[in-house]
Amino acid sequence: MDIKEAKIPYLNRKAEFRAELFKKPDLIYLFFELTRSCNEKCFHCGSSCAPGLGHGPDKEAFKAVLRDVKENFDLKKVQLCITGGEPLLYPDFAELLGYAVDQGFHWGMTTNATLITKDVAKMLEDTRMGTVSVSIDGLRDTHDRQRGMKGGYDKAMRGIENLIERKAFKHIQVTTVVNHKNIVELDELYKILDEMDIDSWRVIGIEPMGRALDFPDMLLTPDDQRYLFNFIREKREQGIPVNYGCSHFLGLEFEREVRDWFFYCGAGTHTAAVRVNGDITACLDIEERPEFVQGNIYKDKFSDVWFNRFQVFRQPLSSLCKECQECEWEKWCAGGSRHCFDYDNNKQRVCFKDILF
C-alpha cells in the first residue's frame, strides 16, 4: 500500500465525523472580533479593516457571553480566539481578557504585533495569553507596502522579540499570507524566521475575498499554488514546523503532507464567532450575509443560538453546488471551505482539482 492509499481510510473517517458533527456540533473555537479598527490597511484583509473603524460590543456584553459559555460548555475544550482589526486597539482589552481568565478560559490572539512593546508583552503575560499568531507578509519593503504601514515590519519583529523575551507563552506563531508578488521571498523569509525562537510558521495562500477581490493580479496562479505546497512539504520533511492553514481539500498527494490534520471546514460545528456589532455567526472569514447571522448577543443567549440555530452551516456546502455534487472527491471535500465560496453563484472560488490533483 502506498502513502496515498493509506490516507483513504482516514479521509473516510473524517467524512463520517463531519456527518456526525452536523447532527451534534462540538464548540472548540469561539472568536471575539473586538474591533474593525486597525493601524494597518492590508490589501488582502478579508474584513476590510482600516484605521478609525469602530470597536466591538462593550466589555459587559462580551462578559455576559463568557458567563453563558462557562455555564453551558466544557471550558477544557473551548479556546477563546481574540481578533480584529488589531485587537490591542480595543479600549478594555486587558480588563476583558483578565475577566476571561478568571472565568476559566484559555485564550489566544491574532495580531500585527506593531503595538507589542515590552510593557504590552508583560500585560499579555499577566492576562495569561497562551498562544499568539503574528502576521509577517514578506521581507521588510514588501511587508510594509502590502500592509500599508511604513516601518511596520520592524515594529512587528520587535513585537515578536518582546513576546519571546517573556518566555511565558505556550505557542508563538508567525503567519504569512502568500500572494503572486511575495511568493518569491519565501526562502529568504524562512531564513530570517528560522533564526528566531518562534514555535511555528503558518503559510497560507491569499484568498479571493474581502479587499483582495480588488487586486486580481495578486492572486496565486496554478504554478504559484504548486510551488507553495511543494515548499511547505519540503520544509516539513526537514522537520521544520511549517503548516498550511485550515483551508481547502488538497487531494491525496498533499493532504496531511502540509499540515498536521486532514481537511475539514469546522465553521458552525467547531467554530463560532461574535462580530463587532454583536452578531453571532460561524467563521469570521465567511462573507457577511444576512442568512449567516444566527443571532445577536444584545438580544440572544449565545448558547441558545449555538444549540438551536446554525442549521445553514450544518449541511455539506456541496449541497449548493451541482458541480461539487457530481465530483468524485465530494465525499472528502464536501464543497471545500465556506469562507471562499461564491454564494451568489453557488460555486467554489478556490478548488485545487486539476491544479494539485
Side-chain angles (χ1 to χ4, degrees):
M1 180 184 295
D2 66 18
I3 187 66
K4 292 182 182 180
E5 291 177 343
K7 294 176 183 178
I8 291 175
Y10 294 95
L11 287 165
N12 286 337
R13 283 199 287 273
K14 198 74 173 183
E16 294 169 0
F17 179 62
R18 180 193 301 113
E20 287 301 313
L21 280 174
F22 286 154
K23 301 173 186 176
K24 190 177 180 181
D26 187 20
L27 182 66
I28 296 178
Y29 303 107
L30 174 58
F31 284 81
F32 274 10
E33 187 182 45
L34 296 190
T35 180
R36 285 286 178 87
S37 187
C38 189
N39 56 336
E40 295 184 329
K41 191 176 181 180
C42 308
F43 87 92
H44 59 264
C45 181
S47 300
S48 300
C49 298
L53 298 184
H55 299 308
D58 63 70
K59 61 188 177 185
E60 297 307 321
F62 273 134
K63 287 178 181 179
V65 176
L66 294 173
R67 291 191 294 271
D68 175 31
V69 173
K70 179 182 180 180
E71 182 179 345
N72 292 286
F73 297 85
D74 181 0
L75 291 193
K76 293 179 182 177
K77 298 171 65 175
V78 176
Q79 168 82 1
L80 183 62
C81 307
I82 302 301
T83 186
E86 172 48 54
L88 288 170
L89 292 173
Y90 185 70
D92 300 303
F93 182 95
E95 180 182 344
L96 175 63
L97 275 304
Y99 183 84
V101 169
D102 289 343
Q103 293 297 305
F105 283 85
H106 304 281
W107 72 278
M109 175 175 65
T110 300
T111 176
N112 62 39
T114 60
L115 302 177
I116 301 180
T117 62
K118 292 182 182 297
D119 287 343
V120 171
K122 184 179 185 307
M123 179 273 289
L124 294 171
E125 178 182 2
D126 291 343
T127 51
R128 285 182 267 174
M129 180 179 73
T131 62
V132 62
S133 180
V134 177
S135 301
I136 300 291
D137 289 330
L139 303 178
R140 179 178 285 105
D141 290 344
T142 298
H143 175 94
D144 289 359
R145 182 173 60 254
Q146 294 183 174
R147 301 190 70 85
M149 174 188 277
K150 187 174 179 58
Y153 176 90
D154 291 330
K155 290 179 180 178
M157 286 297 194
R158 280 198 296 273
I160 294 171
E161 292 296 347
N162 288 336
L163 292 170
I164 292 171
E165 187 179 272
R166 300 305 305 178
K167 300 184 184 302
F169 308 108
K170 294 178 181 177
H171 198 100
I172 298 174
Q173 179 185 79
V174 167
T175 293
T176 299
V177 178
V178 180
N179 60 65
H180 183 60
K181 301 292 179 66
N182 71 0
I183 194 169
V184 297
E185 298 181 351
L186 281 178
D187 277 305
E188 197 62 31
L189 185 57
Y190 161 71
K191 293 175 184 176
I192 294 170
L193 296 177
D194 190 45
E195 295 297 317
M196 303 176 71
D197 190 20
I198 61 173
D199 297 293
S200 67
W201 185 22
R202 181 171 174 256
V203 182
I204 58 178
I206 186 174
E207 301 282 7
M209 53 186 253
R211 199 179 282 141
L213 288 170
D214 297 329
F215 300 90
D217 60 315
M218 299 292 277
L219 299 180
L220 295 171
T221 67
D223 285 343
D224 291 338
Q225 298 282 15
R226 287 187 284 267
Y227 176 86
L228 173 63
F229 290 111
N230 280 308
F231 172 87
I232 298 172
R233 181 166 61 181
E234 175 187 311
K235 292 295 184 274
R236 288 171 63 85
E237 287 173 349
Q238 297 170 11
I240 297 161
V242 183
N243 265 308
Y244 183 63
C246 62
S247 303
H248 311 304
F249 175 70
L250 306 177
L252 290 178
E253 181 176 351
F254 285 100
E255 277 295 323
R256 196 58 174 78
E257 302 294 313
V258 296
R259 56 191 169 204
D260 298 336
W261 58 91
F262 289 97
F263 170 71
Y264 169 69
C265 180
T269 54
H270 277 330
T271 301
V274 178
R275 292 195 179 276
V276 290
N277 62 354
D279 282 348
I280 301 169
T281 186
C283 172
L284 287 169
D285 287 336
I286 297 175
E287 181 182 346
E288 292 187 59
R289 299 171 67 95
E291 63 264 36
F292 297 149
V293 177
Q294 304 301 292
N296 188 285
I297 63 172
Y298 286 114
K299 60 185 180 64
D300 302 297
K301 284 187 65 176
F302 173 83
S303 58
D304 289 342
V305 172
W306 175 261
F307 291 121
N308 299 309
R309 303 183 196 176
F310 274 87
Q311 285 78 13
V312 68
F313 299 111
R314 293 170 185 168
Q315 56 186 323
L317 189 57
S318 53
S319 64
L320 302 177
C321 175
K322 187 173 186 296
E323 184 178 351
C324 289
Q325 293 168 26
E326 296 174 351
C327 177
E328 66 267 35
W329 304 93
E330 189 275 339
K331 178 179 181 180
W332 300 330
C333 177
S337 297
R338 293 181 184 271
H339 70 273
C340 55
F341 198 79
D342 181 347
Y343 294 95
D344 290 321
N345 297 295
N346 286 332
K347 64 180 183 179
Q348 184 58 249
R349 288 192 176 108
V350 178
C351 176
F352 287 114
K353 183 180 179 182
D354 299 327
I355 296 177
L356 298 181
F357 58 93

